[in-house]
């Protein structure tokens, strides 16, 4: 894979046809990072406070874990839906919708009197954060700028558990769950650099049925570790319906050209693998360290932070160098070795090394795989390629915690 720019921003005009619409001026990458990455803070903030959350809400830890699973599920489903919105209505509309969802979700989280309302707020936060991340990644335009975003995701993911714990101990766990609202600080700066939305002129209508099938498939796959037989049957039935729909609408929500591209399929599957490994590690590591080392919560949070920051820094260097296609295979190997090391290790250094390897694979892989997926698509299909590849990555965010709960936390 060469370090070529992808003509930022990648979104095509409404309908996904014709040349991309350039922004008034390139959006500085640090504003894009602020827009996209706080969702990782909010998503990982509950890692070290699940027991406290459960006690406060009067539910067991396994039930409190749904606050993580629902957030990840909403990001998984929200990613392709917001990508479709960006493709048809432009990044300005996607930005506004994502910010509205994050704002409303945070208000619910702060005021929620019960677990069901809290879950609804977390779902809105996750979906809105996915939308803001999709806008930022579509505006990134090059492996180097994409690397800044994914390294930012990794750093925020690393800081999220310890920061969430600190906020919960100093004040309220609700403040920890509201961290994703920090992305709203970048809203005005990004919005004024985007072109106005152009009305659709003879473009294909939005493929609502395709969006429904993708959302249903993502939901079924997210539930595989929890209700395997029901989820597998639902996923198979939905996949068949989606395949038939793609044959009817080859340029719809899921472009047929992408499904025929080995480069895209390989990138998407690898993204899911590295992400599942990382999120399973993230949520199981504190319990493993507690069981096998006797460390305090402070020591666990600090050690996990150091390991994940190291992995994120190495991932940024990897993405900045726009690695070769062989790097993708290396990321998958790391993603497999990391959980195996964690399962067998009895010492803290080896457990933390496995965490660093997992985040290196996930963060570095996300940047390289997203750019690879976009590079394999035509200009009009690039938003869909990025969105579907990120969907596969976010799917790991739902599968990983569920697997951790099943194998370690349950």
């Amino acid at each position: 894979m060469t370090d070529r720019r992808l003509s930022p921003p990648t979104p095509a005009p409404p309908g996904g046809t014709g040349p991309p619409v350039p922004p008034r001026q390139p959006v500085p990458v640090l504003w894009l990072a602020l827009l996209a990455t706080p969702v990782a803070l909010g998503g990982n903030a509950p890692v070290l406070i699940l027991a406290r959350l459960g006690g406060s809400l009067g539910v067991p830890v396994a039930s409190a874990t749904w606050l993580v699973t629902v957030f990840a599920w909403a990001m998984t489903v929200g990613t392709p839906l917001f990508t479709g919105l960006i493709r048809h209505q432009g990044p300005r509309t996607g930005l506004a919708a994502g910010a509205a969802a994050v704002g409303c979700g945070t208000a619910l989280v702060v005021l929620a009197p019960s677990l069901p309302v809290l879950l609804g707020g977390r779902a809105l936060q996750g979906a809105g954060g996915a939308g803001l991340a999709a806008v930022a990644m579509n505006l990134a335009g090059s492996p180097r700028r994409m690397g800044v975003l994914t390294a930012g995701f990794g750093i925020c993911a690393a800081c999220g558990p310890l920061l969430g714990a600190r906020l919960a101990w100093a004040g309220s766990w609700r403040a920890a769950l509201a961290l994703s609202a920090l992305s709203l600080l970048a809203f005005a700066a990004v919005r004024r650099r985007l072109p106005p939305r152009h009305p659709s002129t003879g473009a294909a209508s939005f493929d609502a049925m395709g969006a429904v099938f993708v959302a249903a498939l993502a939901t079924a796959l997210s539930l595989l570790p929890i209700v395997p037989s029901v989820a597998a049957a639902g996923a198979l039935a939905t996949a068949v319906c989606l395949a038939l729909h793609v044959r009817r609408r080859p340029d719809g929500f899921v472009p047929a050209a992408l499904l025929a591209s080995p480069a895209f399929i390989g990138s998407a599957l690898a993204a899911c693998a590295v992400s599942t490994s990382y999120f399973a590690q993230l949520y199981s590591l504190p319990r493993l360290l507690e069981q096998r080392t006797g460390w305090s919560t402070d020591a666990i949070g600090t050690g996990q932070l150091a390991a994940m920051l190291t992995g994120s820094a190495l991932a940024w260097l990897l993405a900045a160098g726009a690695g070769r296609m062989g790097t993708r295979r290396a990321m998958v190997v790391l993603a497999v070795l990391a959980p195996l090391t964690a399962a067998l290790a009895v010492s803290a250094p080896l457990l933390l090394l496995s965490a660093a390897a997992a985040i290196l694979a996930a963060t570095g892989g996300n940047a390289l795989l997203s750019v690879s997926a976009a590079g394999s698509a035509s200009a009009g299909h690039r938003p869909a390629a990025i969105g579907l590849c990120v969907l596969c990555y976010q799917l790991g965010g739902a599968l990983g915690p569920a697997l951790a709960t099943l194998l370690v936390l349950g």
Side-chain angles (χ1 to χ4, degrees), residues 227-261:
V227 282
S229 57
V230 175
L236 180 60
T238 306
V240 171
C241 292
L242 179 60
L244 294 174
H245 180 75
V246 170
R247 287 176 64 88
R248 289 193 299 268
R249 289 199 62 170
D251 286 318
F253 194 84
V254 180
L258 292 182
L259 299 182
S261 167

Side-chain angles (χ1 to χ4, degrees), residues 373-396:
S376 68
S378 63
H381 289 156
R382 280 178 189 163
I386 291 176
L388 292 172
C389 188
V390 174
L391 178 150
C392 291
Y393 183 88
Q394 298 298 354
L395 184 61

Side-chain angles (χ1 to χ4, degrees), residues 5 76 94 124 138 156 186 188 208 250 287 311 330 351 373 394:
R5 299 188 69 85
T76 302
L124 281 174
N138 273 278
C156 287
R287 177 67 65 87
L351 284 168
Q394 298 298 354

Side-chain angles (χ1 to χ4, degrees), residues 9-21 86-91 138 379-383:
T10 53
T17 59
V21 177
I86 293 167
R87 182 182 174 196
H88 285 263
Q89 300 296 325
N138 273 278
H381 289 156
R382 280 178 189 163

